[in-house]
Amino acid sequence: MPPKPPRRAGAAAAARSQRASPDSGSAPPPAAPRLEIGEADFVVLCDALKASESVREKAWKTYESLSAVDGALAYSKKKKETWGVCIFIVAIDLDEMTFTFTELLKSISISVCTFFQFLKEVDVNMDTVSTKVDSTVSRLKKKYDVLLALYHKFERISAELSSVLVLKNYWITFLLAKGKVLQVEDDLVISFQLLLCVLDYFIKLSPPAMLKEPYKSAVTAVTVNGSARTPRRGQNRSTRTSKQIDTDTKVIEVLCKEHDCNLDEVKNVYFTSFIPFLNSIGIVASNGLPEVDVLSKQYDELYLKNKDIDARLFLDHDETLQPDVTACSQLERTPLKNNPDEELNLILPQTPVRAAMNNIQQLIMILNSATDKPSDTLIIYFNNCTVNPKDSILKRVESLDHIFKKKFAEAVGQGWAEIGSQRYKLGVRLYYRVMESMLKSEEERLSVQNFSKLLNDNIFHTSLLACAVEVVMATYGRNASQSDGTSAETDLSFPWILNVFDLKAFDFYKVIESFIKAEPSLTREMIKHLERCEHRIMESLAWQSGSPLFHLIKQSKEREGQTDQPEPPSTLNLPLQHNHTAADLYLSPVRSPKKKAPPLSATSTPDGQPAATPQTQKPQKSTSLSLFYKKVYLLAYLRLHTLFFRLLSEHPDLEPLIWTLFQHTLQNEYELMRDRHLDQIMMCSMYGICKVKNVDLRFKIIVSAYKELPNTNQETFKRVLIREEQYDSIIVFYNLVFMQKLKTNILQYASNRPPTLSPIPHIPRSPYQFSNSPRRVPAGNNIYISPLKSPYKFSDGFQSPTKMTPRSRILVSIGESFGTSEKFQKINQMVCNSDCQLKRSAEVSAAPKPLKRLRFDIEGQDEADGSKHLPQESKFQQKLAEMTSTRTRMQKQKLNDGSDTSASEDK
């Protein structure tokens, strides 16, 4: 524990006198004697950050509480960094930020990534970092990730543009435009489109002789056509003629082509947002170039107002903004090559911007053949309905278009309404495409063509359209920190679309699986995104007050013989069937399974109406509720099993007990889930069983392990509903709510007659096929096999696989002409040189640790028999060599035995 800080007035006064100087005339005189808090260096840091008295006092108390916990030695060694973190936490909680985030980093000499990692380590107790601080940190992380990705892209484009131009004002202009025009600063795609607009503006102001191709030719063409720099100097850009505007697009066309960006979208950004921005800041200077000092001063005002990251420091490669791959989020970034000869041995990953552009291009290619109106096939289906749904469908699409456009502009900025409309139209194309695919599948399954009830169901159409638009939004909304296909939260992330369309999460859930099955061209990343949306609905969104889920559960309780059992536990260990469709879920409840009736009467009648039911029939069972509970049970067990393995692997007998309590709560005490999270019930179930079984497992340990699980949020355990509009930590929830409700049941596990154990859910394979996803070759090699992305020719408007990957990748497409055999030689070399990345599991007792980087050319190890293998040989080749050697020895032995026999016979 660090020594107690000096609190004597004399020592504090001495410290202050050492800091004061005669020439510091700008310092305001103290209004009253200040109560010195903390060590002298802590006071100096607070003075540098202009921290208020309340921030100083609470920050020091926070530091003292951190120093009092186990492992405080680490904080004593990083005393200044810990002080900075404490000041940051308290300043946010008290809304007294007197410093910017960059000023804080510089004061304690720490980088962004290291700070975030250290803050995570400091949060040893659940109440150290509030959800308010978590939210601020999340925003800063996302903004940093986007800025870092964009700056790396900016550097690469700058190198392609010119080797002599000074590009400082380019970057500062972009930062100013991004801050003034964009309300959503973590949108990577829109930010990159804005960056291209800035580059277009400056390229056209540059002398052609200073530019490289193809930009040199583009600027020359602009000059020849008469729209040189003259009209840009003093004229209002909004008054230019259409001819000048058409000519001006030459450079932006080249930029979009070079960087796989949609031209129409970038032009829209240019004329609706970027040109008004230029007019608003009044850029007027000699030669049409804005002065760097003027731009920097305006950006400085914006930066000081936001109190976040000074992105101008990227230009200086400032240490506070340098990425730390071991501490920061794993960004996919092109690795630096120290040796040019290594280029042949490396497969370079996609950068965040490149990956985002490729995803968008792939989506657009899929929808090129689709239209934003119902196809002829859909019209036929509409005409076959008892009640033609065409007019209501078109009116709904048009109505939601206006709503989406308005909400998008409110979230991103009023100048971006048309961009929102463009994205919505892509979603409408996908909506009609998937609807047609669904109806074709239903027709094949049921041999009927009248789907009147389904096609006149408003919730079905709203959900299907919302899912299509969500796919588009997620494709465009890929955040810079998404290197594994997971969803990084942004202001436009799911469940934003549910609020826009006023759609209940439980209703949206019904369409997800059918949507994925109906659209085989979805990428693995997008399938994973929709699965994650489904998980979030099952975790918490479907359990919010006002959800139709509770009404269905109430109905299920009224069914005779099924009281309090939305889904009987006896079905848990049965395989989860995936033969249901959207029609089954949106038109349920269907006939009770106890009665002999067609399994899908809702859609199998000639007019698509549910079959008439006798007045005496029992209440009907809900297909959607039954399937929902099966999926919830499966998700709940998988979560529990993961957390249990981390914490209680030495007590395997406890897992079935915890699962039984967990499952019992979801089935019989489901009101505990109202406005709460599935994981909250899971952690409480684990703690309760360990308590009655006398296993020492504190909530602090549970929470620490939980934070390391994927797709978790600290708000889950820091902010739990206790009673109406009152929230507290999960410990308080356990004591005041969970334990009070389940005390009798929990105590049964300590008795000689514990409750009957619930069956373990059957864990199926994913029903989704990732046909378009590359598969990694075993043994840890950096080699992937993937089906051809598209069978179409490039002339049909589809990009070849080569265009969809970085240019430095080695791509061999079987069935196409691939030239010489050099590619195969390179691939063979990579296979041979990457075999030593992973050690054999038999050689180590602990779980293998993931490698931090790819390693090549590691010397081979001696085998047990003393034989030596060449370092270029892979494990497969070594094994093959051993087998060949064994076979050769056996053949030689057989020949020798044969020769010996023949020799003896001769004798």
Side-chain angles (χ1 to χ4, degrees):
M1 182 181 297
K4 287 291 182 180
R7 291 177 177 271
R8 292 174 300 172
R16 175 165 296 278
S17 65
Q18 292 176 356
R19 293 193 307 275
S21 59
D23 54 352
S24 58
S26 59
R34 173 185 290 171
L35 176 64
E36 293 296 352
I37 300 170
E39 299 179 12
D41 289 339
F42 175 79
V43 176
V44 172
L45 179 60
C46 290
D47 288 346
L49 297 175
K50 302 180 179 63
S52 65
E53 291 295 328
S54 55
V55 169
R56 293 168 188 250
E57 182 177 357
K58 190 171 180 180
W60 184 258
K61 288 181 179 179
T62 303
Y63 171 69
E64 286 183 319
S65 65
L66 287 175
S67 303
V69 299
D70 296 336
L73 182 62
Y75 303 122
S76 64
K77 292 181 178 179
K78 298 181 179 179
K79 191 175 290 186
K80 192 171 184 180
E81 291 90 336
T82 309
W83 290 340
V85 166
C86 294
I87 293 171
F88 175 76
I89 292 171
V90 173
I92 292 175
D93 281 333
L94 298 180
D95 287 323
E96 296 185 18
M97 285 288 289
T98 55
F99 50 88
T100 69
F101 185 55
T102 295
E103 288 173 346
L104 173 65
L105 297 178
K106 288 206 168 276
S107 297
I108 59 178
S109 304
I110 196 173
S111 70
V112 174
C113 294
T114 307
F115 180 87
F116 290 149
Q117 181 63 27
F118 190 60
L119 178 64
K120 184 178 180 181
E121 296 172 0
V122 164
D123 191 19
V124 290
N125 294 311
M126 291 179 290
D127 56 351
T128 303
V129 179
S130 66
T131 55
K132 184 177 180 180
V133 175
D134 285 335
S135 177
T136 301
V137 170
S138 177
R139 182 184 65 82
L140 286 170
K141 280 183 179 178
K142 289 182 289 187
K143 184 169 185 177
Y144 170 76
D145 285 339
V146 169
L147 286 170
L148 180 62
L150 290 171
Y151 183 74
H152 280 290
K153 189 69 174 178
F154 173 74
E155 283 189 315
R156 286 188 288 273
I157 297 177
S158 300
E160 297 171 2
L161 282 177
S162 173
S163 57
V164 294
L165 288 175
V166 179
L167 305 175
K168 183 175 181 179
N169 49 359
Y170 293 30
W171 178 248
I172 297 178
T173 302
F174 164 68
L175 294 178
L176 187 59
K178 183 173 180 293
K180 284 184 171 289
V181 173
L182 270 179
Q183 291 175 204
V184 181
E185 294 193 76
D186 57 2
D187 192 304
L188 180 64
V189 174
I190 290 182
S191 297
F192 180 61
Q193 292 171 341
L194 188 60
L195 176 61
L196 293 184
C197 294
V198 174
L199 292 171
D200 169 81
Y201 173 78
F202 280 101
I203 288 172
K204 285 184 283 193
L205 295 176
S206 304
M210 300 179 69
L211 298 172
K212 297 179 181 179
E213 293 293 351
Y215 306 102
K216 181 177 181 180
S217 300
V219 172
T220 303
V222 170
T223 306
V224 170
N225 288 328
S227 66
R229 295 183 294 276
T230 306
R232 296 181 177 274
R233 248 175 234 167
Q235 294 184 10
N236 188 314
R237 290 157 186 83
S238 62
T239 62
R240 285 179 288 164
T241 65
S242 60
K243 182 178 179 181
Q244 291 171 334
I245 290 176
D246 291 340
T247 308
D248 283 353
T249 61
K250 182 67 177 177
V251 175
I252 204 77
E253 288 172 6
V254 174
L255 283 167
C256 291
K257 181 179 179 181
E258 288 293 309
H259 302 286
D260 297 325
C261 212
N262 185 279
L263 177 61
D264 291 336
E265 292 184 359
V266 177
K267 287 166 66 175
N268 196 311
V269 172
Y270 190 94
F271 295 119
T272 61
S273 297
F274 182 63
I275 287 179
F277 157 73
L278 292 178
N279 294 331
S280 68
I281 63 173
I283 292 183
V284 178
S286 59
N287 300 323
L289 287 170
E291 296 290 344
V292 176
D293 293 341
V294 175
L295 293 174
S296 189
K297 183 178 180 181
Q298 293 193 44
Y299 174 76
D300 205 46
E301 296 174 358
L302 193 67
Y303 153 67
L304 293 174
K305 177 183 176 182
N306 293 332
K307 293 183 170 57
D308 52 16
I309 299 171
D310 187 354
R312 292 170 297 186
L313 298 179
F314 279 113
L315 294 166
D316 303 325
H317 298 281
D318 191 273
E319 292 182 356
T320 60
L321 296 181
Q322 293 308 300
D324 181 356
V325 293
T326 61
C328 201
S329 57
Q330 296 296 320
L331 301 181
E332 287 182 312
R333 208 172 290 114
T334 304
L336 298 176
K337 296 183 288 291
N338 297 324
N339 185 354
D341 296 333
E342 292 180 4
E343 184 171 2
L344 298 180
N345 293 332
L346 287 175
I347 290 185
L348 304 181
Q350 294 189 78
T351 61
V353 175
R354 170 67 66 180
M357 295 301 107
N358 284 346
N359 289 339
I360 293 169
Q361 290 298 320
Q362 189 168 349
L363 176 67
I364 292 175
M365 286 189 295
I366 292 170
L367 299 178
N368 267 345
S369 59
T371 63
D372 51 6
K373 299 293 181 184
S375 65
D376 293 339
T377 304
L378 278 177
I379 295 297
I380 294 174
Y381 281 118
F382 296 164
N383 292 335
N384 287 335
C385 292
T386 305
V387 178
N388 194 315
K390 178 182 176 182
D391 291 341
S392 62
I393 289 174
L394 295 178
K395 287 180 181 178
R396 185 184 299 105
V397 169
E398 182 180 359
S399 173
L400 291 176
D401 182 11
H402 297 306
I403 295 174
F404 182 87
K405 188 175 179 179
K406 177 183 176 182
K407 295 292 186 180
F408 187 89
E410 290 175 358
V412 181
Q414 293 302 320
W416 303 87
E418 288 305 316
I419 293 292
S421 182
Q422 288 178 341
R423 296 186 184 181
Y424 178 81
K425 288 177 181 177
L426 284 176
V428 170
R429 289 185 178 188
L430 186 58
Y431 160 70
Y432 286 129
R433 175 184 166 104
V434 173
M435 188 197 306
E436 182 177 328
S437 176
M438 283 183 174
L439 294 177
K440 286 180 179 178
S441 298
E442 286 291 274
E443 182 180 1
E444 293 175 3
R445 186 171 70 99
L446 302 172
S447 300
V448 296
Q449 295 180 334
N450 184 352
F451 302 104
S452 183
K453 188 168 182 64
L454 177 66
L455 292 178
N456 282 282
D457 190 295
N458 177 62
I459 295 178
F460 163 71
H461 283 290
T462 306
S463 302
L464 183 59
L465 180 56
C467 193
V469 175
E470 175 60 28
V471 167
V472 175
M473 294 298 292
T475 302
Y476 276 88
R478 177 188 171 96
N479 192 274
S481 60
Q482 290 174 265
S483 60
D484 57 355
T486 58
S487 299
E489 291 294 307
T490 66
D491 290 342
L492 302 178
S493 293
F494 184 82
W496 179 80
I497 192 65
L498 301 183
N499 299 324
V500 173
F501 284 4
D502 192 23
L503 185 65
K504 298 297 183 183
F506 182 75
D507 291 324
F508 181 84
Y509 135 84
K510 299 176 187 178
V511 83
I512 294 176
E513 187 172 324
S514 296
F515 189 99
I516 295 173
K517 292 177 181 178
E519 184 48 77
S521 59
L522 288 177
T523 62
R524 181 189 182 97
E525 182 183 50
M526 201 46 56
I527 292 175
K528 288 294 184 183
H529 171 74
L530 290 179
E531 281 190 308
R532 178 61 193 139
C533 293
E534 185 180 58
H535 289 175
R536 290 191 61 185
I537 291 172
M538 292 188 290
E539 292 167 0
S540 60
L541 297 178
W543 301 95
Q544 293 176 349
S545 295
S547 171
L549 173 63
F550 291 101
H551 177 68
L552 287 176
I553 296 176
K554 183 179 178 181
Q555 284 184 329
S556 73
K557 291 176 61 178
E558 297 170 355
R559 298 180 68 241
E560 184 179 344
Q562 297 263 348
T563 304
D564 287 339
Q565 295 193 25
E567 183 60 28
S570 59
T571 64
L572 285 175
N573 54 0
L574 299 178
L576 181 62
Q577 300 297 322
H578 294 280
N579 55 359
H580 48 270
T581 66
D584 301 335
L585 303 184
Y586 283 97
L587 301 180
S588 82
V590 297
R591 280 182 184 273
S592 171
K594 295 182 180 180
K595 296 289 183 180
K596 292 184 178 180
L600 293 173
S601 58
T603 57
S604 58
T605 53
D607 62 350
Q609 304 297 326
T613 57
Q615 294 295 325
T616 58
Q617 185 172 328
K618 296 176 182 179
Q620 296 171 320
K621 180 181 179 180
S622 170
T623 304
S624 59
L625 179 63
S626 175
L627 178 65
F628 178 80
Y629 253 90
K630 287 179 180 178
K631 288 191 171 185
V632 167
Y633 284 153
L634 177 59
L635 178 65
Y637 176 73
L638 291 175
R639 288 285 185 84
L640 172 63
H641 180 72
T642 304
L643 187 61
F644 182 90
F645 182 78
R646 289 173 178 248
L647 294 172
L648 297 167
S649 57
E650 297 179 355
H651 302 274
D653 55 312
L654 293 184
E655 185 182 30
L657 302 181
I658 298 171
W659 166 242
T660 300
L661 176 60
F662 193 8
Q663 186 273 328
H664 167 83
T665 306
L666 294 174
Q667 175 183 301
N668 300 303
E669 303 293 345
Y670 51 84
E671 279 293 333
L672 286 176
M673 280 292 297
R674 187 183 292 271
D675 296 321
R676 296 189 180 98
H677 196 286
L678 184 69
D679 293 346
Q680 294 165 353
I681 308 299
M682 173 186 69
M683 287 185 278
C684 288
S685 299
M686 180 175 287
Y687 181 79
I689 293 297
C690 289
K691 197 79 171 174
V692 297
K693 288 296 183 179
N694 297 318
V695 175
D696 184 21
L697 182 65
R698 290 173 291 176
F699 250 123
K700 174 183 174 181
I701 304 301
I702 296 176
V703 165
S704 298
Y706 175 77
K707 287 193 295 185
E708 301 302 320
L709 298 182
N711 299 318
T712 56
N713 191 320
Q714 296 196 42
E715 188 168 333
T716 304
F717 55 83
K718 290 183 178 180
R719 190 174 184 271
V720 188
L721 178 67
I722 306 301
R723 56 181 63 92
E724 187 176 357
E725 296 184 359
Q726 180 184 346
Y727 295 84
D728 213 314
S729 71
I730 193 168
I731 298 176
V732 177
F733 168 72
Y734 176 85
N735 291 326
L736 298 184
V737 182
F738 187 86
M739 187 61 183
Q740 301 303 318
K741 193 76 173 178
L742 291 161
K743 184 176 182 178
T744 302
N745 184 273
I746 292 175
L747 292 177
Q748 290 179 5
Y749 292 90
S751 66
N752 296 327
R753 300 181 62 183
T756 303
L757 298 179
S758 299
I760 300 297
H762 176 81
I763 302 177
R765 297 183 62 182
S766 174
Y768 312 122
Q769 299 297 322
F770 305 115
S771 58
N772 290 329
S773 303
R775 295 187 178 183
R776 189 167 189 168
V777 175
N781 296 317
N782 197 17
I783 304 294
Y784 294 81
I785 299 175
S786 175
L788 192 62
K789 293 287 184 181
S790 170
Y792 303 98
K793 297 178 181 178
F794 184 73
S795 58
D796 295 330
F798 286 81
Q799 288 184 326
S800 67
T802 310
K803 289 290 288 183
M804 300 181 71
T805 55
R807 298 169 186 170
S808 53
R809 286 202 176 189
I810 302 172
L811 182 74
V812 175
S813 182
I814 306 300
E816 291 185 356
S817 175
F818 46 79
T820 65
S821 60
E822 291 181 0
K823 287 184 179 179
F824 286 113
Q825 293 175 356
K826 294 174 183 177
I827 291 176
N828 287 338
Q829 185 178 3
M830 284 186 289
V831 173
C832 294
N833 289 344
S834 58
D835 67 290
C836 295
Q837 292 179 42
L838 300 176
K839 296 181 179 179
R840 294 181 179 179
S841 58
E843 296 175 355
V844 289
S845 56
K849 295 182 179 180
L851 295 173
K852 293 183 179 179
R853 63 174 66 182
L854 294 174
R855 292 179 293 174
F856 297 91
D857 300 326
I858 301 177
E859 291 296 328
Q861 301 294 328
D862 290 344
E863 294 295 328
D865 62 355
S867 62
K868 190 104 173 173
H869 292 283
L870 295 176
Q872 290 81 10
E873 291 181 342
S874 67
K875 292 181 179 178
F876 173 76
Q877 290 171 315
Q878 294 171 13
K879 190 67 177 177
L880 184 60
E882 293 171 8
M883 293 172 64
T884 303
S885 177
T886 303
R887 177 178 295 179
T888 302
R889 290 197 301 267
M890 292 175 64
Q891 289 175 345
K892 287 182 179 181
Q893 183 66 37
K894 190 174 182 180
L895 289 174
N896 292 337
D897 293 342
S899 60
D900 293 341
T901 304
S902 59
S904 61
E905 290 176 353
D906 291 341
K907 292 179 181 179

